[in-house]
Amino acid sequence: MNIFKESIAIKTNKRFEIVDITDKINHIISKHGIELGIANIFSKHSTSAIIINENESGLLKDIENLLSSIVIDENSYYHDRIDNNADSHLKGVLLSSSQSIPISNNSLNLGTWQSVFFIDFDGPRNRVVEVTLAGQ
Ligand code: ZN
């Protein structure tokens, strides 16, 4: 078994932005020639998330609206006393900073309608996602 680590640099352009990173991950997997294994995708930021879902523009809007309906911008949050982005952290709390996905036949073994997304809750920023691959 081999283990590889790579970083994906992501530059977001809006405060809330969903970025499909599936192709970038698959490119890294095929570069290392991993036929069978597992990929861990980890965001190194506390105001972001990694999710797996369908890349359909209406659904991506629905995800943004769902999170905004749970974490209300106008609420008074303690963290806003020192850093005006409590809502961004709280949206991160609701999701996950990482996903582990099986690798098969030199690519992520995702379902037909599944893609891997990085979500920025506090852009625009330069972000880094770590990709760790284990397999052969
Ligand atoms: Zn903060």
Side-chain angles (χ1 to χ4, degrees):
M1 187 180 75
N2 295 304
I3 298 180
F4 303 99
K5 171 183 136 15
E6 295 224 12
S7 301
I8 296 174
I10 298 168
K11 185 177 174 8
T12 57
N13 303 298
K14 293 183 292 184
R15 183 141 200 268
F16 186 103
E17 189 169 333
I18 304 181
V19 183
D20 190 331
I21 57 173
T22 313
D23 289 347
K24 287 194 163 113
I25 300 164
N26 278 332
H27 179 78
I28 293 169
I29 293 169
S30 71
K31 187 176 100 179
H32 291 293
I34 298 177
E35 287 189 24
L36 185 68
I38 191 154
N40 178 267
I41 316 301
F42 176 69
S43 170
K44 299 188 76 171
H45 311 282
S46 58
T47 54
S48 72
I50 305 290
I51 67 164
I52 299 169
N53 221 293
E54 181 178 350
N55 192 350
E56 191 280 314
S57 58
L59 178 64
L60 300 183
K61 267 299 204 195
D62 290 335
I63 292 169
E64 179 173 4
N65 291 342
L66 169 68
L67 293 168
S68 297
S69 72
I70 297 170
V71 181
I72 310 295
D73 257 347
E74 292 74 31
N75 279 4
S76 172
Y77 297 116
Y78 291 110
H79 183 63
D80 285 336
R81 295 175 187 174
I82 59 139
D83 193 12
N84 194 31
N85 64 355
D87 61 313
S88 305
H89 289 275
L90 293 171
K91 287 172 184 171
V93 165
L94 294 174
L95 299 173
S96 177
S97 55
S98 73
Q99 298 286 337
S100 287
I101 305 159
I103 297 167
S104 180
N105 296 322
N106 271 298
S107 66
L108 294 171
N109 191 6
L110 294 165
T112 306
W113 303 108
Q114 288 181 314
S115 294
V116 184
F117 299 94
F118 170 84
I119 309 184
D120 199 337
F121 302 120
D122 199 28
R125 291 186 192 225
N126 292 311
R127 303 296 207 170
V128 178
V129 171
E130 296 292 345
V131 177
T132 307
L133 308 175
Q136 57 193 17

